[in-house]
Amino acid sequence: MDRGQPLGIELVRMGIVNQGDIQKALDYQKQHSKKKIGDILNILGLCDPNVLINAIGEILNEKAILLTINDVKINILDYITLDLIKQNKAVPFETAQGRIRVCFADTSNKRSIDVIRLLLLNKGLVMEKYITFESNIDKIINSLEGTATEKIDADADISGLVDSIIKSGIEKRASDIHIEPLEESVRVRYRIDGRLFTAVQINKEKQQQIIGRLKAISNMHQEKQESQDGRILSYPDYNIRVSSQKNIYGEKFVLRLLKKNGNVREIFDLGFPRDEQLVKRSFNKRNSITVIAAPTGEGKTTTLYSIINYLNNPHINISTIEDPVEIRINGLNQIEVDAKANFAHSLRTILRQDPDIILVGEIRDLETAEIAMQAGQTGHYVLSTIHTIDSIEVITRLRKMGISNYDISSILATSISQRLVRRICKNCAVERDYTEQEKQIMTEIASKYGEKIDFTGKKTYEAVGCKECNQSGYLDRIGIFEILNVDDTIKDLISRDASSMEIRKTALEIGYRPLIIDGFQKVLEGITTLDELNNKLAIY
């Protein structure tokens, strides 16, 4: 909101506060470095808020208002998405005669001002800029949580309420439903395209009934309050995995919505580089192992299914070990692990079933890793996943598990890392030119990896939001990938116990490119945005 200490000096000069008040604000700022002096004076109650915000507006030569929910005369989400409100701390609150008034917490942030101005201009509205306290905007954000998704019937009986929560999640394409007991309510949130959205806050009095209903339909013990796992099988097209865990306000439930017999997407549709030679070089090998690396929830399993589907034909025997089997694929022998048969045990059994290709859902421990490596050494092609940050660190992760450099160098054929980024919703996105700052960021990062970016004729998009994309501005997700093909040069480095830094340096020299480069390509193609890429990879 302000431009540092000079604002405090001006407020003292105007007689709004005294030097002692400013010192208190500065002391507070030492512990809350992101807070601005004007906001702190308001938080500490050192001045009448109306007087303070108007004085700040006068100093900064901005229109000012002490914005409250009562000042909002429009349906905010008709004009701007909740994501953009949060990112830019901006709230439109009134329209008249082709103009729209918008409150900002920081009117010195030119990029935020320009983003909102452009969006509204494309709706035929000229923006009139105001300033208010950030805390006031945060209160309005809190009041908007829940309006980004359709209302759930919180007044229905408990069976109907729980049913409407699940059905609404399915309709909204949620991957997970979070049902969370808070101090004064029960919050329901949906994870859609990787982001959590608050759907509804339910009266605290219904908490125990909701918990009881969830336990009943997921076949959990009613009396137990420690962590449990269950399944809901009463929705025809979905296998819903349920997890409960006690917290300080009750028991939290997470429902994972897994679509039965879902279609396997082609590898290129997932975002893998459209290069047949690269696919053939990366997959379809014998005496080796391919590993997909990424954190939880970044689409590793989906990529595995796509690879298996690409390789599947009647002349080869493909067996999978999964936890759980998420998609049934015709022609595959799919095994689901359980308490009696874990990954390692099932993998030993499969080796006696004459497989050509083996999919191991995840390498979690040394035992599974050793058997997977053994399978790769005996004529099989093994596909698996591992939790680590990138394709180079797969080598480090296997080393830390206890796999020898000799085994890694002789068996690891391809290491792939991926992330999922949200696709811009083409139904509502607004095309615009790249800013100079965006061009500079992309150019400087790309040059570090020997890449050049040509912006000639290229446009990007601003996320707007509509009913189709749940007011988020994004619809569905796509993968960004990095591929390390372990050639003789890399094998030699692994055998010599070279560090990951040395391996990365050499890999870059022979063609390996990190995630960010593929991410930039998808930004330039208009599939996603630089902001979304930054949300995922924290590049600036």
Side-chain angles (χ1 to χ4, degrees):
M1 176 188 296
D2 57 72
R3 293 170 174 79
Q5 193 171 345
L7 176 70
I9 294 171
E10 285 296 311
L11 289 171
V12 172
R13 186 187 64 77
M14 294 170 70
I16 305 298
V17 292
N18 59 42
Q19 191 59 50
D21 295 331
I22 296 298
Q23 189 56 54
K24 288 176 186 176
L26 291 171
D27 290 342
Y28 183 94
Q29 195 177 48
K30 289 175 184 176
Q31 302 300 319
H32 307 84
S33 58
K34 292 184 179 180
K35 295 286 184 186
K36 298 179 174 64
I37 292 293
D39 289 297
I40 294 170
L41 290 169
N42 181 48
I43 291 166
L44 297 178
L46 297 172
C47 178
D48 178 274
N50 262 306
V51 173
L52 180 59
I53 194 63
N54 282 305
I56 290 171
E58 184 180 335
I59 293 167
L60 300 180
N61 196 27
E62 303 281 4
K63 294 175 183 175
I65 181 174
L66 188 66
L67 189 71
T68 69
I69 196 66
N70 294 327
D71 297 305
V72 178
K73 310 298 184 186
I74 58 176
N75 183 355
I76 297 171
L77 296 179
D78 286 346
Y79 298 89
I80 181 173
T81 69
L82 192 54
D83 265 7
L84 281 175
I85 291 170
K86 290 178 178 178
Q87 287 169 18
N88 299 286
K89 296 290 183 180
V91 174
F93 62 96
E94 191 174 4
T95 60
Q97 299 176 336
R99 303 183 73 81
I100 184 165
R101 294 175 174 174
V102 182
C103 239
F104 291 86
D106 184 0
T107 52
S108 68
N109 188 331
K110 188 176 183 300
R111 185 174 184 277
S112 287
I113 305 295
D114 288 344
V115 164
I116 304 302
R117 190 193 307 280
L118 177 65
L119 287 178
L120 296 172
L121 198 58
N122 275 277
K123 292 178 181 285
L125 295 165
V126 175
M127 188 180 79
E128 193 176 318
K129 177 168 46 108
Y130 282 74
I131 192 166
T132 195
F133 296 118
E134 186 173 347
S135 57
N136 287 51
I137 285 181
D138 287 339
K139 286 174 185 175
I140 291 173
I141 289 172
N142 291 337
S143 74
L144 288 172
E145 293 275 22
T147 58
T149 57
E150 291 178 5
K151 292 288 183 183
I152 291 165
D153 187 3
D155 296 320
D157 61 46
I158 293 302
S159 295
L161 172 58
V162 171
D163 184 57
S164 72
I165 289 169
I166 295 171
K167 283 182 175 175
S168 181
I170 289 170
E171 288 169 9
K172 293 291 181 183
R173 304 181 301 107
S175 60
D176 302 85
I177 301 173
H178 291 240
I179 301 172
E180 307 163 303
L182 306 179
E183 186 174 7
E184 297 179 350
S185 64
V186 177
R187 179 174 63 184
V188 177
R189 293 193 288 173
Y190 296 143
R191 189 174 293 282
I192 302 170
D193 293 334
R195 292 289 187 90
L196 278 172
F197 295 88
T198 299
V200 71
Q201 303 263 9
I202 300 170
N203 194 304
K204 186 76 171 176
E205 292 174 1
K206 295 186 177 181
Q207 178 172 308
Q208 287 309 119
Q209 292 173 285
I210 292 170
I211 290 171
R213 179 61 182 166
L214 286 168
K215 286 183 175 179
I217 62 176
S218 57
N219 201 27
M220 289 182 176
H221 294 288
Q222 287 285 349
E223 64 279 1
K224 284 187 179 179
Q225 290 194 3
E226 65 263 23
S227 302
Q228 295 187 67
D229 293 309
R231 290 192 181 186
I232 299 172
L233 303 173
S234 51
Y235 294 84
D237 297 326
Y238 284 83
N239 178 0
I240 302 175
R241 286 159 52 191
V242 184
S243 170
S244 75
Q245 186 171 53
K246 188 177 179 181
N247 69 20
I248 59 172
Y249 297 120
E251 290 177 82
K252 175 184 174 177
F253 285 75
V254 175
L255 284 61
R256 168 62 59 89
L257 306 180
L258 300 171
K259 195 165 187 178
K260 294 177 184 175
N261 304 319
N263 293 326
V264 178
R265 295 168 67 182
E266 192 202 13
I267 186 73
F268 299 126
D269 291 340
L270 297 179
F272 199 85
R274 195 168 285 276
D275 181 340
E276 284 283 355
Q277 291 305 312
L278 177 63
V279 172
K280 288 177 181 176
R281 193 163 68 250
S282 300
F283 313 122
N284 204 17
K285 302 180 180 182
R286 296 183 68 82
N287 299 295
S288 63
I289 183 168
T290 290
V291 177
I292 313 289
T296 301
E298 295 293 344
K300 298 186 296 295
T301 303
T302 303
T303 300
L304 278 185
Y305 279 130
S306 293
I307 297 168
I308 284 291
N309 200 48
Y310 173 82
L311 299 174
N312 191 16
N313 71 65
H315 307 296
I316 58 174
N317 178 18
I318 301 178
S319 296
T320 77
I321 310 165
E322 305 171 62
D323 181 20
V325 172
E326 295 188 15
I327 298 177
R328 289 171 170 79
I329 302 177
N330 191 37
L332 267 59
N333 302 290
Q334 293 176 276
I335 298 166
E336 192 164 270
V337 302
D338 55 32
K340 294 180 180 178
N342 59 18
F343 278 112
H345 179 274
S346 299
L347 186 49
R348 284 195 187 92
T349 305
I350 278 179
L351 288 174
R352 298 193 288 271
Q353 292 283 311
D354 187 32
D356 295 297
I357 297 175
I358 303 169
L359 184 153
V360 182
E362 183 184 345
I363 294 176
R364 298 178 176 175
D365 50 43
L366 175 59
E367 186 180 14
T368 306
E370 285 178 334
I371 301 168
M373 289 288 176
Q374 177 192 337
Q377 287 171 327
T378 53
H380 309 94
Y381 178 45
V382 181
L383 287 152
S384 192
T385 71
I386 201 165
H387 285 272
T388 191
I389 58 172
D390 64 32
S391 54
I392 305 289
E393 289 303 316
V394 166
I395 297 162
T396 304
R397 182 87 176 91
L398 290 171
R399 282 170 170 171
K400 286 184 176 179
M401 279 185 177
I403 303 298
S404 71
N405 283 322
Y406 171 80
D407 283 338
I408 297 170
S409 63
S410 60
I411 305 303
L412 182 63
T414 311
S415 172
I416 298 167
S417 184
Q418 68 179 70
R419 298 291 188 278
L420 293 177
V421 295
R422 294 180 297 170
R423 291 175 180 262
I424 194 79
C425 175
K426 291 301 176 71
N427 187 58
C428 60
V430 174
E431 189 180 77
R432 66 168 174 82
D433 292 324
Y434 286 89
T435 66
E436 290 306 314
Q437 183 186 21
E438 287 170 333
K439 289 180 180 179
Q440 183 181 354
I441 289 168
M442 294 174 70
T443 301
E444 288 181 357
I445 293 174
S447 66
K448 292 179 183 176
Y449 304 108
E451 298 287 332
K452 291 183 179 180
I453 295 182
D454 183 5
F455 292 97
T456 306
K458 300 290 186 183
K459 298 280 187 178
T460 188
Y461 292 90
E462 204 66 61
V464 177
C466 62
K467 245 186 173 180
E468 191 172 327
C469 63
N470 198 39
Q471 301 299 335
S472 69
Y474 296 90
L475 185 65
D476 202 6
R477 291 188 289 177
I478 191 168
I480 55 173
F481 293 85
E482 63 176 43
I483 301 111
L484 176 69
N485 279 304
V486 183
D487 64 5
D488 290 341
T489 304
I490 303 298
K491 287 178 184 292
D492 182 56
L493 288 172
I494 296 170
S495 297
R496 293 194 286 105
D497 199 31
S499 67
S500 58
M501 188 179 297
E502 189 178 349
I503 294 170
R504 191 182 309 278
K505 181 177 180 294
T506 302
L508 284 166
E509 291 169 358
I510 58 176
Y512 156 83
R513 291 294 179 265
L515 286 164
I516 188 62
I517 299 301
D518 190 38
F520 283 165
Q521 183 59 39
K522 289 178 171 69
V523 171
L524 292 168
E525 290 171 7
I527 296 170
T528 190
T529 65
L530 189 60
D531 278 345
E532 173 63 8
L533 204 58
N534 184 51
N535 287 337
K536 182 62 68 171
L537 299 179
I539 57 177
Y540 58 86

